[in-house]
Each structure stands twice: as structure tokens, then as C-alpha cells.
mmCIF file of all heavy atoms in Angstrom:
data_model
loop_
_atom_site.group_PDB
_atom_site.id
_atom_site.type_symbol
_atom_site.label_atom_id
_atom_site.label_comp_id
_atom_site.label_asym_id
_atom_site.label_seq_id
_atom_site.Cartn_x
_atom_site.Cartn_y
_atom_site.Cartn_z
ATOM 1 N N GLU A 7 49.235 72.681 151.393
ATOM 2 C CA GLU A 7 48.333 73.656 150.701
ATOM 3 C C GLU A 7 48.966 73.923 149.307
ATOM 4 O O GLU A 7 48.275 74.010 148.333
ATOM 5 C CB GLU A 7 48.055 74.852 151.455
ATOM 6 C CG GLU A 7 47.222 74.615 152.724
ATOM 7 C CD GLU A 7 45.901 74.103 152.376
ATOM 8 O OE1 GLU A 7 45.367 74.517 151.258
ATOM 9 O OE2 GLU A 7 45.241 73.590 153.340
ATOM 10 N N ARG A 8 50.345 74.029 149.230
ATOM 11 C CA ARG A 8 50.898 74.349 148.028
ATOM 12 C C ARG A 8 50.815 73.118 147.061
ATOM 13 O O ARG A 8 50.677 73.384 145.909
ATOM 14 C CB ARG A 8 52.396 74.772 148.178
ATOM 15 C CG ARG A 8 52.579 76.155 148.816
ATOM 16 C CD ARG A 8 54.045 76.495 148.998
ATOM 17 N NE ARG A 8 54.180 77.848 149.617
ATOM 18 C CZ ARG A 8 55.422 78.287 150.024
ATOM 19 N NH1 ARG A 8 56.504 77.662 149.767
ATOM 20 N NH2 ARG A 8 55.502 79.504 150.537
ATOM 21 N N PHE A 9 50.840 71.985 147.570
ATOM 22 C CA PHE A 9 50.819 70.763 146.706
ATOM 23 C C PHE A 9 49.372 70.767 146.154
ATOM 24 O O PHE A 9 49.253 70.411 144.887
ATOM 25 C CB PHE A 9 51.075 69.522 147.542
ATOM 26 C CG PHE A 9 51.036 68.213 146.680
ATOM 27 C CD1 PHE A 9 52.272 67.920 146.065
ATOM 28 C CD2 PHE A 9 49.944 67.535 146.499
ATOM 29 C CE1 PHE A 9 52.241 66.816 145.199
ATOM 30 C CE2 PHE A 9 49.976 66.402 145.752
ATOM 31 C CZ PHE A 9 51.184 65.978 145.062
ATOM 32 N N LEU A 10 48.313 70.954 146.898
ATOM 33 C CA LEU A 10 46.981 71.053 146.383
ATOM 34 C C LEU A 10 46.881 72.119 145.236
ATOM 35 O O LEU A 10 46.204 71.892 144.276
ATOM 36 C CB LEU A 10 45.945 71.261 147.453
ATOM 37 C CG LEU A 10 45.799 70.228 148.569
ATOM 38 C CD1 LEU A 10 44.539 70.582 149.395
ATOM 39 C CD2 LEU A 10 45.562 68.896 147.879
ATOM 40 N N ALA A 11 47.620 73.279 145.408
ATOM 41 C CA ALA A 11 47.573 74.225 144.437
ATOM 42 C C ALA A 11 48.401 73.967 143.219
ATOM 43 O O ALA A 11 48.341 74.737 142.325
ATOM 44 C CB ALA A 11 47.862 75.601 145.163
ATOM 45 N N GLY A 12 49.240 72.948 143.315
ATOM 46 C CA GLY A 12 50.147 72.702 142.221
ATOM 47 C C GLY A 12 51.389 73.549 142.174
ATOM 48 O O GLY A 12 52.078 73.647 141.134
ATOM 49 N N THR A 13 51.658 74.206 143.275
ATOM 50 C CA THR A 13 52.952 75.154 143.330
ATOM 51 C C THR A 13 54.006 74.516 144.207
ATOM 52 O O THR A 13 55.046 75.339 144.500
ATOM 53 C CB THR A 13 52.511 76.526 143.800
ATOM 54 O OG1 THR A 13 51.903 76.385 145.044
ATOM 55 C CG2 THR A 13 51.481 77.100 142.790
ATOM 56 N N ALA A 14 53.785 73.383 144.770
ATOM 57 C CA ALA A 14 54.763 72.876 145.795
ATOM 58 C C ALA A 14 56.059 72.557 145.138
ATOM 59 O O ALA A 14 56.105 71.997 143.901
ATOM 60 C CB ALA A 14 54.257 71.659 146.481
ATOM 61 N N GLU A 15 57.165 72.682 145.830
ATOM 62 C CA GLU A 15 58.502 72.229 145.543
ATOM 63 C C GLU A 15 58.836 71.017 146.480
ATOM 64 O O GLU A 15 58.756 71.134 147.629
ATOM 65 C CB GLU A 15 59.538 73.286 145.814
ATOM 66 C CG GLU A 15 60.857 72.804 145.459
ATOM 67 C CD GLU A 15 61.258 72.703 143.957
ATOM 68 O OE1 GLU A 15 60.531 73.422 143.166
ATOM 69 O OE2 GLU A 15 62.172 71.907 143.646
ATOM 70 N N LEU A 16 58.818 69.746 145.694
ATOM 71 C CA LEU A 16 59.033 68.608 146.489
ATOM 72 C C LEU A 16 60.477 68.528 147.099
ATOM 73 O O LEU A 16 61.414 68.820 146.342
ATOM 74 C CB LEU A 16 58.745 67.355 145.681
ATOM 75 C CG LEU A 16 57.281 67.198 145.213
ATOM 76 C CD1 LEU A 16 57.200 65.869 144.378
ATOM 77 C CD2 LEU A 16 56.362 67.068 146.402
ATOM 78 N N GLN A 17 60.566 68.164 148.387
ATOM 79 C CA GLN A 17 61.866 67.954 148.929
ATOM 80 C C GLN A 17 61.989 66.516 149.370
ATOM 81 O O GLN A 17 61.163 65.811 149.691
ATOM 82 C CB GLN A 17 61.991 68.847 150.174
ATOM 83 C CG GLN A 17 61.819 70.330 149.953
ATOM 84 C CD GLN A 17 61.825 71.057 151.222
ATOM 85 O OE1 GLN A 17 60.743 71.248 151.838
ATOM 86 N NE2 GLN A 17 62.993 71.648 151.770
ATOM 87 N N VAL A 18 63.304 66.074 149.120
ATOM 88 C CA VAL A 18 63.670 64.671 149.357
ATOM 89 C C VAL A 18 64.001 64.413 150.839
ATOM 90 O O VAL A 18 65.038 65.091 151.325
ATOM 91 C CB VAL A 18 64.780 64.113 148.406
ATOM 92 C CG1 VAL A 18 65.119 62.680 148.876
ATOM 93 C CG2 VAL A 18 64.361 64.219 147.055
ATOM 94 N N VAL A 19 63.326 63.726 151.532
ATOM 95 C CA VAL A 19 63.610 63.420 152.901
ATOM 96 C C VAL A 19 64.552 62.161 152.981
ATOM 97 O O VAL A 19 65.532 62.270 153.728
ATOM 98 C CB VAL A 19 62.375 63.116 153.715
ATOM 99 C CG1 VAL A 19 62.626 62.782 155.256
ATOM 100 C CG2 VAL A 19 61.350 64.374 153.747
ATOM 101 N N PHE A 20 64.152 61.134 152.249
ATOM 102 C CA PHE A 20 65.083 59.937 152.227
ATOM 103 C C PHE A 20 65.138 59.266 150.878
ATOM 104 O O PHE A 20 63.985 59.298 150.184
ATOM 105 C CB PHE A 20 64.460 58.918 153.247
ATOM 106 C CG PHE A 20 65.137 57.527 153.223
ATOM 107 C CD1 PHE A 20 66.354 57.327 153.854
ATOM 108 C CD2 PHE A 20 64.499 56.522 152.479
ATOM 109 C CE1 PHE A 20 66.921 56.105 153.755
ATOM 110 C CE2 PHE A 20 65.151 55.270 152.371
ATOM 111 C CZ PHE A 20 66.308 55.069 153.033
ATOM 112 N N THR A 21 66.305 58.859 150.402
ATOM 113 C CA THR A 21 66.515 58.124 149.190
ATOM 114 C C THR A 21 67.123 56.723 149.548
ATOM 115 O O THR A 21 68.063 56.737 150.327
ATOM 116 C CB THR A 21 67.380 58.911 148.164
ATOM 117 O OG1 THR A 21 66.800 60.114 147.878
ATOM 118 C CG2 THR A 21 67.488 58.183 146.965
ATOM 119 N N PRO A 22 66.569 55.749 149.055
ATOM 120 C CA PRO A 22 67.153 54.350 149.365
ATOM 121 C C PRO A 22 68.373 54.129 148.559
ATOM 122 O O PRO A 22 68.730 54.802 147.547
ATOM 123 C CB PRO A 22 65.952 53.311 148.936
ATOM 124 C CG PRO A 22 65.372 54.018 147.845
ATOM 125 C CD PRO A 22 65.302 55.505 148.208
ATOM 126 N N ASP A 23 69.108 53.132 148.941
ATOM 127 C CA ASP A 23 70.292 52.616 148.046
ATOM 128 C C ASP A 23 70.194 50.979 147.993
ATOM 129 O O ASP A 23 69.094 50.416 148.592
ATOM 130 C CB ASP A 23 71.501 52.999 148.653
ATOM 131 C CG ASP A 23 71.771 52.722 150.087
ATOM 132 O OD1 ASP A 23 71.442 51.518 150.479
ATOM 133 O OD2 ASP A 23 72.584 53.422 150.813
ATOM 134 N N GLU A 24 71.244 50.418 147.556
ATOM 135 C CA GLU A 24 71.130 49.088 147.354
ATOM 136 C C GLU A 24 71.003 48.216 148.556
ATOM 137 O O GLU A 24 70.418 47.163 148.574
ATOM 138 C CB GLU A 24 72.527 48.585 146.703
ATOM 139 C CG GLU A 24 72.534 47.076 146.300
ATOM 140 C CD GLU A 24 73.847 46.750 145.710
ATOM 141 O OE1 GLU A 24 74.785 47.683 145.480
ATOM 142 O OE2 GLU A 24 74.143 45.626 145.452
ATOM 143 N N HIS A 25 71.409 48.809 149.812
ATOM 144 C CA HIS A 25 71.376 48.027 151.000
ATOM 145 C C HIS A 25 70.390 48.590 151.999
ATOM 146 O O HIS A 25 70.024 48.032 153.003
ATOM 147 C CB HIS A 25 72.775 48.214 151.708
ATOM 148 C CG HIS A 25 73.823 47.339 150.922
ATOM 149 N ND1 HIS A 25 74.033 45.949 150.964
ATOM 150 C CD2 HIS A 25 74.721 47.977 149.994
ATOM 151 C CE1 HIS A 25 75.025 45.662 150.126
ATOM 152 N NE2 HIS A 25 75.455 46.767 149.548
ATOM 153 N N THR A 26 69.867 49.976 151.839
ATOM 154 C CA THR A 26 69.079 50.634 152.817
ATOM 155 C C THR A 26 67.738 51.046 152.278
ATOM 156 O O THR A 26 67.597 51.431 151.138
ATOM 157 C CB THR A 26 69.892 51.973 153.324
ATOM 158 O OG1 THR A 26 71.137 51.468 153.610
ATOM 159 C CG2 THR A 26 69.165 52.541 154.427
ATOM 160 N N CYS A 27 66.747 50.846 153.027
ATOM 161 C CA CYS A 27 65.329 51.244 152.772
ATOM 162 C C CYS A 27 64.681 51.903 153.878
ATOM 163 O O CYS A 27 65.058 51.792 155.126
ATOM 164 C CB CYS A 27 64.601 50.135 152.355
ATOM 165 S SG CYS A 27 64.176 48.944 153.592
ATOM 166 N N LEU A 28 63.554 52.602 153.584
ATOM 167 C CA LEU A 28 62.778 53.234 154.655
ATOM 168 C C LEU A 28 61.888 52.028 155.313
ATOM 169 O O LEU A 28 61.263 51.214 154.520
ATOM 170 C CB LEU A 28 61.767 54.250 153.966
ATOM 171 C CG LEU A 28 60.787 54.917 154.883
ATOM 172 C CD1 LEU A 28 61.486 55.733 155.856
ATOM 173 C CD2 LEU A 28 59.845 55.649 154.075
ATOM 174 N N HIS A 29 61.760 51.876 156.660
ATOM 175 C CA HIS A 29 61.014 50.991 157.370
ATOM 176 C C HIS A 29 59.750 51.638 157.790
ATOM 177 O O HIS A 29 58.616 51.106 157.515
ATOM 178 C CB HIS A 29 61.832 50.451 158.386
ATOM 179 C CG HIS A 29 61.153 49.216 159.047
ATOM 180 N ND1 HIS A 29 60.482 48.293 158.444
ATOM 181 C CD2 HIS A 29 61.237 48.876 160.311
ATOM 182 C CE1 HIS A 29 60.014 47.417 159.301
ATOM 183 N NE2 HIS A 29 60.537 47.531 160.514
ATOM 184 N N HIS A 30 59.820 52.624 158.712
ATOM 185 C CA HIS A 30 58.616 53.236 159.090
ATOM 186 C C HIS A 30 58.998 54.635 159.747
ATOM 187 O O HIS A 30 60.208 54.823 159.902
ATOM 188 C CB HIS A 30 57.859 52.354 160.157
ATOM 189 C CG HIS A 30 58.480 52.097 161.422
ATOM 190 N ND1 HIS A 30 59.439 51.066 161.584
ATOM 191 C CD2 HIS A 30 58.329 52.604 162.665
ATOM 192 C CE1 HIS A 30 59.835 51.015 162.794
ATOM 193 N NE2 HIS A 30 59.231 51.923 163.477
ATOM 194 N N TYR A 31 57.860 55.372 159.914
ATOM 195 C CA TYR A 31 58.257 56.747 160.584
ATOM 196 C C TYR A 31 57.117 57.193 161.376
ATOM 197 O O TYR A 31 55.955 56.668 161.281
ATOM 198 C CB TYR A 31 58.520 57.805 159.552
ATOM 199 C CG TYR A 31 57.492 57.970 158.492
ATOM 200 C CD1 TYR A 31 56.362 58.906 158.739
ATOM 201 C CD2 TYR A 31 57.431 57.335 157.248
ATOM 202 C CE1 TYR A 31 55.468 59.151 157.737
ATOM 203 C CE2 TYR A 31 56.479 57.566 156.317
ATOM 204 C CZ TYR A 31 55.409 58.495 156.614
ATOM 205 O OH TYR A 31 54.361 58.722 155.744
ATOM 206 N N ALA A 32 57.338 58.252 162.219
ATOM 207 C CA ALA A 32 56.211 58.788 163.073
ATOM 208 C C ALA A 32 56.617 60.261 163.366
ATOM 209 O O ALA A 32 57.755 60.597 163.550
ATOM 210 C CB ALA A 32 56.062 57.982 164.290
ATOM 211 N N TRP A 33 55.488 61.150 163.546
ATOM 212 C CA TRP A 33 55.636 62.479 163.844
ATOM 213 C C TRP A 33 55.521 62.715 165.394
ATOM 214 O O TRP A 33 54.596 62.061 166.020
ATOM 215 C CB TRP A 33 54.663 63.297 163.247
ATOM 216 C CG TRP A 33 54.794 63.538 161.712
ATOM 217 C CD1 TRP A 33 54.219 62.908 160.646
ATOM 218 C CD2 TRP A 33 55.627 64.606 161.202
ATOM 219 N NE1 TRP A 33 54.598 63.477 159.482
ATOM 220 C CE2 TRP A 33 55.486 64.555 159.792
ATOM 221 C CE3 TRP A 33 56.418 65.595 161.712
ATOM 222 C CZ2 TRP A 33 56.108 65.503 158.965
ATOM 223 C CZ3 TRP A 33 56.984 66.518 160.894
ATOM 224 C CH2 TRP A 33 56.840 66.428 159.504
ATOM 225 N N THR A 34 56.210 63.547 165.872
ATOM 226 C CA THR A 34 56.001 64.248 167.012
ATOM 227 C C THR A 34 55.418 65.589 166.555
ATOM 228 O O THR A 34 55.169 65.715 165.412
ATOM 229 C CB THR A 34 57.130 64.576 167.987
ATOM 230 O OG1 THR A 34 58.264 65.357 167.208
ATOM 231 C CG2 THR A 34 57.813 63.251 168.447
ATOM 232 N N ARG A 35 55.142 66.575 167.427
ATOM 233 C CA ARG A 35 54.549 67.821 166.901
ATOM 234 C C ARG A 35 55.466 68.427 165.966
ATOM 235 O O ARG A 35 54.935 68.891 164.918
ATOM 236 C CB ARG A 35 54.260 68.850 168.046
ATOM 237 C CG ARG A 35 53.567 70.015 167.666
ATOM 238 C CD ARG A 35 53.432 71.162 168.825
ATOM 239 N NE ARG A 35 52.721 72.188 168.496
ATOM 240 C CZ ARG A 35 52.961 73.155 167.739
ATOM 241 N NH1 ARG A 35 54.212 73.260 167.247
ATOM 242 N NH2 ARG A 35 52.187 74.221 167.455
ATOM 243 N N ASP A 36 56.767 68.592 166.193
ATOM 244 C CA ASP A 36 57.576 69.492 165.407
ATOM 245 C C ASP A 36 58.731 68.675 164.644
ATOM 246 O O ASP A 36 59.494 69.224 163.958
ATOM 247 C CB ASP A 36 58.203 70.517 166.157
ATOM 248 C CG ASP A 36 57.230 71.429 166.708
ATOM 249 O OD1 ASP A 36 56.296 71.863 166.023
ATOM 250 O OD2 ASP A 36 57.275 71.767 168.075
ATOM 251 N N LEU A 37 58.796 67.387 164.982
ATOM 252 C CA LEU A 37 59.860 66.567 164.287
ATOM 253 C C LEU A 37 59.529 65.229 163.727
ATOM 254 O O LEU A 37 58.387 64.730 164.121
ATOM 255 C CB LEU A 37 61.051 66.362 165.357
ATOM 256 C CG LEU A 37 61.798 67.662 165.944
ATOM 257 C CD1 LEU A 37 62.675 67.155 167.089
ATOM 258 C CD2 LEU A 37 62.669 68.173 164.802
ATOM 259 N N LEU A 38 60.234 64.701 162.772
ATOM 260 C CA LEU A 38 59.807 63.404 162.177
ATOM 261 C C LEU A 38 60.968 62.389 162.592
ATOM 262 O O LEU A 38 62.133 62.537 162.325
ATOM 263 C CB LEU A 38 59.858 63.658 160.642
ATOM 264 C CG LEU A 38 59.553 62.356 159.824
ATOM 265 C CD1 LEU A 38 58.101 61.946 160.075
ATOM 266 C CD2 LEU A 38 59.829 62.602 158.324
ATOM 267 N N MET A 39 60.433 61.271 163.176
ATOM 268 C CA MET A 39 61.214 60.257 163.572
ATOM 269 C C MET A 39 61.221 59.099 162.456
ATOM 270 O O MET A 39 60.145 58.758 161.932
ATOM 271 C CB MET A 39 60.866 59.521 164.790
ATOM 272 C CG MET A 39 60.664 60.495 165.943
ATOM 273 S SD MET A 39 62.229 61.093 166.573
ATOM 274 C CE MET A 39 63.087 59.531 167.071
ATOM 275 N N VAL A 40 62.416 58.654 161.917
ATOM 276 C CA VAL A 40 62.438 57.773 160.756
ATOM 277 C C VAL A 40 63.263 56.631 161.116
ATOM 278 O O VAL A 40 64.406 56.751 161.650
ATOM 279 C CB VAL A 40 63.034 58.405 159.542
ATOM 280 C CG1 VAL A 40 63.211 57.544 158.414
ATOM 281 C CG2 VAL A 40 62.146 59.649 159.048
ATOM 282 N N VAL A 41 62.738 55.320 160.850
ATOM 283 C CA VAL A 41 63.559 54.154 161.139
ATOM 284 C C VAL A 41 63.789 53.560 159.661
ATOM 285 O O VAL A 41 62.888 53.409 158.744
ATOM 286 C CB VAL A 41 62.752 53.109 161.792
ATOM 287 C CG1 VAL A 41 63.624 51.782 162.013
ATOM 288 C CG2 VAL A 41 62.467 53.620 163.168
ATOM 289 N N THR A 42 65.162 53.231 159.345
ATOM 290 C CA THR A 42 65.498 52.653 158.117
ATOM 291 C C THR A 42 66.069 51.306 158.384
ATOM 292 O O THR A 42 66.511 51.135 159.530
ATOM 293 C CB THR A 42 66.456 53.557 157.305
ATOM 294 O OG1 THR A 42 67.635 53.751 158.182
ATOM 295 C CG2 THR A 42 65.933 54.944 156.962
ATOM 296 N N LEU A 43 66.235 50.516 157.350
ATOM 297 C CA LEU A 43 66.810 49.188 157.473
ATOM 298 C C LEU A 43 68.097 49.171 156.634
ATOM 299 O O LEU A 43 68.016 49.478 155.440
ATOM 300 C CB LEU A 43 65.890 47.992 157.132
ATOM 301 C CG LEU A 43 64.662 47.833 157.890
ATOM 302 C CD1 LEU A 43 63.825 46.685 157.292
ATOM 303 C CD2 LEU A 43 65.122 47.586 159.293
ATOM 304 N N ALA A 44 69.226 48.789 157.165
ATOM 305 C CA ALA A 44 70.460 48.627 156.323
ATOM 306 C C ALA A 44 70.840 47.090 156.484
ATOM 307 O O ALA A 44 71.191 46.649 157.509
ATOM 308 C CB ALA A 44 71.487 49.481 156.872
ATOM 309 N N ASP A 45 70.550 46.284 155.367
ATOM 310 C CA ASP A 45 70.678 44.852 155.360
ATOM 311 C C ASP A 45 70.075 44.264 156.580
ATOM 312 O O ASP A 45 70.464 43.546 157.327
ATOM 313 C CB ASP A 45 72.206 44.420 155.402
ATOM 314 C CG ASP A 45 72.845 44.601 154.059
ATOM 315 O OD1 ASP A 45 72.153 44.520 153.051
ATOM 316 O OD2 ASP A 45 74.084 44.908 154.008
ATOM 317 N N VAL A 46 68.715 44.845 156.754
ATOM 318 C CA VAL A 46 67.812 44.303 157.711
ATOM 319 C C VAL A 46 68.079 44.772 159.205
ATOM 320 O O VAL A 46 67.471 44.355 160.176
ATOM 321 C CB VAL A 46 67.464 42.896 157.661
ATOM 322 C CG1 VAL A 46 66.009 42.496 158.283
ATOM 323 C CG2 VAL A 46 67.605 42.363 156.277
ATOM 324 N N ALA A 47 69.108 45.506 159.341
ATOM 325 C CA ALA A 47 69.377 46.214 160.659
ATOM 326 C C ALA A 47 68.888 47.535 160.748
ATOM 327 O O ALA A 47 69.078 48.374 159.836
ATOM 328 C CB ALA A 47 70.938 46.160 160.917
ATOM 329 N N SER A 48 68.296 47.932 161.896
ATOM 330 C CA SER A 48 67.567 49.174 162.017
ATOM 331 C C SER A 48 68.473 50.354 162.322
ATOM 332 O O SER A 48 69.486 50.162 163.025
ATOM 333 C CB SER A 48 66.384 49.077 162.990
ATOM 334 O OG SER A 48 66.950 48.923 164.353
ATOM 335 N N ARG A 49 68.222 51.574 161.751
ATOM 336 C CA ARG A 49 68.843 52.874 162.108
ATOM 337 C C ARG A 49 67.694 53.777 162.329
ATOM 338 O O ARG A 49 66.617 53.856 161.629
ATOM 339 C CB ARG A 49 69.648 53.312 160.894
ATOM 340 C CG ARG A 49 70.764 52.344 160.463
ATOM 341 C CD ARG A 49 71.817 52.169 161.404
ATOM 342 N NE ARG A 49 72.989 51.268 161.049
ATOM 343 C CZ ARG A 49 73.078 49.962 161.150
ATOM 344 N NH1 ARG A 49 72.118 49.379 161.946
ATOM 345 N NH2 ARG A 49 73.944 49.250 160.616
ATOM 346 N N VAL A 50 67.884 54.694 163.307
ATOM 347 C CA VAL A 50 66.911 55.689 163.735
ATOM 348 C C VAL A 50 67.437 56.957 163.487
ATOM 349 O O VAL A 50 68.528 57.278 164.203
ATOM 350 C CB VAL A 50 66.382 55.391 165.137
ATOM 351 C CG1 VAL A 50 65.163 56.373 165.349
ATOM 352 C CG2 VAL A 50 65.953 53.894 165.239
ATOM 353 N N GLN A 51 66.744 57.865 162.972
ATOM 354 C CA GLN A 51 67.082 59.308 162.776
ATOM 355 C C GLN A 51 65.961 60.183 163.034
ATOM 356 O O GLN A 51 64.787 59.812 162.884
ATOM 357 C CB GLN A 51 67.637 59.609 161.351
ATOM 358 C CG GLN A 51 69.064 58.820 161.085
ATOM 359 C CD GLN A 51 69.523 59.168 159.732
ATOM 360 O OE1 GLN A 51 68.874 58.773 158.720
ATOM 361 N NE2 GLN A 51 70.665 59.685 159.518
ATOM 362 N N VAL A 52 66.197 61.540 163.409
ATOM 363 C CA VAL A 52 65.211 62.524 163.572
ATOM 364 C C VAL A 52 65.515 63.662 162.595
ATOM 365 O O VAL A 52 66.581 64.102 162.396
ATOM 366 C CB VAL A 52 65.240 62.960 165.035
ATOM 367 C CG1 VAL A 52 66.548 63.601 165.423
ATOM 368 C CG2 VAL A 52 64.191 64.074 165.314
ATOM 369 N N TYR A 53 64.501 64.076 161.879
ATOM 370 C CA TYR A 53 64.514 65.056 160.834
ATOM 371 C C TYR A 53 63.843 66.338 161.305
ATOM 372 O O TYR A 53 62.732 66.288 161.913
ATOM 373 C CB TYR A 53 63.816 64.535 159.607
ATOM 374 C CG TYR A 53 64.559 63.523 158.748
ATOM 375 C CD1 TYR A 53 64.646 62.110 159.224
ATOM 376 C CD2 TYR A 53 65.255 63.948 157.724
ATOM 377 C CE1 TYR A 53 65.238 61.166 158.543
ATOM 378 C CE2 TYR A 53 66.036 62.816 156.953
ATOM 379 C CZ TYR A 53 66.089 61.414 157.434
ATOM 380 O OH TYR A 53 66.758 60.588 156.703
ATOM 381 N N THR A 54 64.399 67.378 160.915
ATOM 382 C CA THR A 54 63.782 68.784 161.107
ATOM 383 C C THR A 54 62.959 69.220 159.950
ATOM 384 O O THR A 54 63.669 69.313 158.816
ATOM 385 C CB THR A 54 64.835 69.839 161.442
ATOM 386 O OG1 THR A 54 65.579 69.325 162.599
ATOM 387 C CG2 THR A 54 64.252 71.178 161.709
#
């Protein structure tokens, strides 16, 4: 809602680097599951 109103503060969830990128993600009700690739090897993290 704040983004629609133009008052949102953007927060960085993930930033890539030379070897690592975002692959895919999915929500449960209250948490975000994120899969990244590091030189094509997967890593899985859960974000609050």
C-alpha cells in the first residue's frame, strides 16, 4: 500500500555478486523461501 502511495522505503532482500544469483522463491504464510545459485550450485535460505 505504501508503494502505491509513493511513500514506501524499499528494502533489499538479495543482491547478486559475480558468482551468485537469485534462482527462484516462494512464500509460506509468514516466511519467504529463496533459492540462489552459486556457480550453478543451489543454496536455500528462509527470510523473515
